[in-house]
Amino acid sequence: MRGGWVTLSPIIIKNISRWNILLFIMISGYLFLPRDISIAIMWKKYIRRIAICFAVWSLLYTAYNAVINIHQQMPLVMVCKNIVGDFFNGGTRRMWYLVMLLALYAFIPLISRWVRHSTKQEHLYALILTGLLAILLPSLQMIHPFETVFGLDIERIQGVYSSVYVFYLLFGYLFLDYLSKDEMTRGQAALYIAGGLVSAIIMAVIAKYQGEVSPIGLVFYMPVTACLVVIAQRSDGFLYSHKCGAILRNISDCSFGIYLIHTAVQYAFLHLGAEHYFLRMPPVTGILCYFAALFCVSWVLAIILRKSKVGRSIT
């Protein structure tokens, strides 16, 4: 029993840690969808900033990859082709998040207008429809595994499958609006929390036997995310106390920069041998310490960068 828990617990922690992007989308839905926000404002204030961040960090990560692979003997044309392709892919797979945000934010003025001029029944219908579309491909792959759809790599399709993110945009608007009215009972909160924990365990079991985090995890991310939101809402007295509130506000200001920087910190950990140090620890302790160190170093660097005008523009 103990051995099984030791094996599963790092996977459970990893699965729960994946809520961050989904929660960001949920908060975006809660903040943007009720507002009458123009296309011009969305492009000038939000999309332009994301595009600048993508260009700067993609250039840095592409340069890093070029330096790392400089010893490989390849024709100059192939080297240039790889560098250009690397740049437009973000230099690292983690930059898919910014590409997704650019596409999602471009549609927010249209989605917002629909939300404000539609009924609650239509909201629920859209939520169910996008949710079903979001789990369609992963569910089919669980029944009959396949690697490509119409010649396209299945992982890339799932990574940018738009209905997943539209679903969380709508879910964030509806769920956080419901929580803001303080109508949830303790029993309902307990059910949300229990559902989230059970979902995280199911994801871990599937991942253990498949050797990776299953694509069907999309089905379980919603209850995990809802669980964490409910815990935060129920703990607001503690979270927004004088000291905790100041720390959380600072983390909130730096959150985008932390995401952009953390891959660079991971590279630094790898080259400095820190990853091997954490891997020698017991599984649960090692992964928690690694995440804590990664977060803290990224946070400090984000704070330092944000002290300058240029730094703020890229974080």
Side-chain angles (χ1 to χ4, degrees):
M1 179 69 182
R2 180 177 173 82
W5 164 247
V6 169
T7 304
L8 283 179
S9 52
I11 307 174
I12 294 173
I13 295 168
K14 184 177 180 180
N15 284 329
I16 292 177
S17 72
R18 291 175 179 268
W19 64 273
N20 55 356
I21 290 176
L22 302 178
L23 183 56
F24 185 91
I25 297 171
M26 287 174 64
I27 294 172
S28 296
Y30 178 69
L31 295 176
F32 286 131
L33 295 190
R35 293 170 52 190
D36 181 13
I37 186 165
S38 70
I39 295 174
I41 291 176
M42 181 58 71
W43 276 85
K44 289 179 181 178
K45 189 173 181 181
Y46 300 101
I47 295 178
R48 184 173 64 180
R49 183 194 171 199
I50 295 171
I52 291 172
C53 288
F54 177 83
V56 171
W57 288 96
S58 181
L59 183 63
L60 291 173
Y61 288 129
T62 299
Y64 168 82
N65 293 337
V67 171
I68 290 296
N69 297 319
I70 198 170
H71 64 280
Q72 296 183 2
Q73 300 296 323
M74 288 189 296
L76 181 60
V77 174
M78 185 61 68
V79 171
C80 294
K81 183 179 178 181
N82 288 343
I83 290 175
V84 171
D86 214 17
F87 174 79
F88 284 104
N89 281 318
T92 169
R93 293 183 66 181
R94 309 286 171 79
M95 297 291 280
W96 70 267
Y97 168 54
L98 273 71
V99 177
M100 179 273 295
L101 278 185
L102 287 170
L104 191 64
Y105 275 30
F107 282 95
I108 278 181
L110 304 178
I111 299 173
S112 171
R113 183 175 179 80
W114 174 81
V115 165
R116 288 181 289 107
H117 293 88
S118 55
T119 65
K120 289 186 178 181
Q121 187 177 10
E122 290 170 331
H123 294 167
L124 183 60
Y125 173 75
L127 192 67
I128 293 172
L129 185 62
T130 53
L132 289 174
L133 289 173
I135 66 174
L136 179 61
L137 277 180
S139 299
L140 289 176
Q141 193 180 32
M142 284 286 289
I143 298 169
H144 181 71
F146 50 90
E147 295 182 358
T148 61
V149 176
F150 303 118
L152 299 175
D153 184 82
I154 186 65
E155 289 188 2
R156 291 187 179 276
I157 293 174
Q158 289 164 353
V160 294
Y161 205 41
S162 58
S163 59
V164 176
Y165 308 113
V166 174
F167 168 82
Y168 278 101
L169 199 71
L170 292 170
F171 179 60
Y173 164 64
L174 297 173
F175 189 64
L176 293 173
D177 182 62
Y178 169 66
L179 285 181
S180 68
K181 296 174 182 176
D182 203 24
E183 296 176 351
M184 181 177 289
T185 65
R186 289 185 178 180
Q188 290 172 326
L191 285 175
Y192 275 107
I193 294 170
L197 295 176
V198 169
S199 295
I201 293 171
I202 292 173
M203 277 195 290
V205 172
I206 293 173
K208 178 184 177 183
Y209 289 104
Q210 289 196 343
E212 60 180 357
V213 176
S214 170
I216 200 69
L218 291 172
V219 179
F220 303 109
Y221 287 155
M222 184 188 71
V224 172
T225 309
C227 162
L228 292 165
V229 171
V230 170
I231 291 174
Q233 193 257 357
R234 289 280 161 174
S235 309
D236 62 351
F238 168 75
L239 292 174
Y240 295 102
S241 63
H242 178 67
K243 290 183 178 179
C244 287
I247 294 172
L248 286 174
R249 281 191 293 273
N250 187 273
I251 292 175
S252 177
D253 291 340
C254 297
S255 58
F256 194 54
I258 291 171
Y259 183 88
L260 295 169
I261 293 168
H262 86 280
T263 301
V265 176
Q266 281 185 306
Y267 290 155
F269 281 1
L270 177 64
H271 291 296
L272 293 173
E275 275 195 1
H276 297 293
Y277 173 77
F278 291 115
L279 287 173
R280 287 197 297 267
M281 295 181 177
V284 179
T285 305
I287 195 169
L288 287 175
C289 290
Y290 178 78
F291 281 160
L294 181 63
F295 173 80
C296 290
V297 173
S298 302
W299 182 20
V300 170
L301 291 175
I303 291 173
I304 293 171
L305 278 175
R306 289 182 61 81
K307 288 183 181 296
S308 67
K309 185 176 180 180
V310 174
R312 285 193 296 273
S313 69
I314 61 171
T315 54

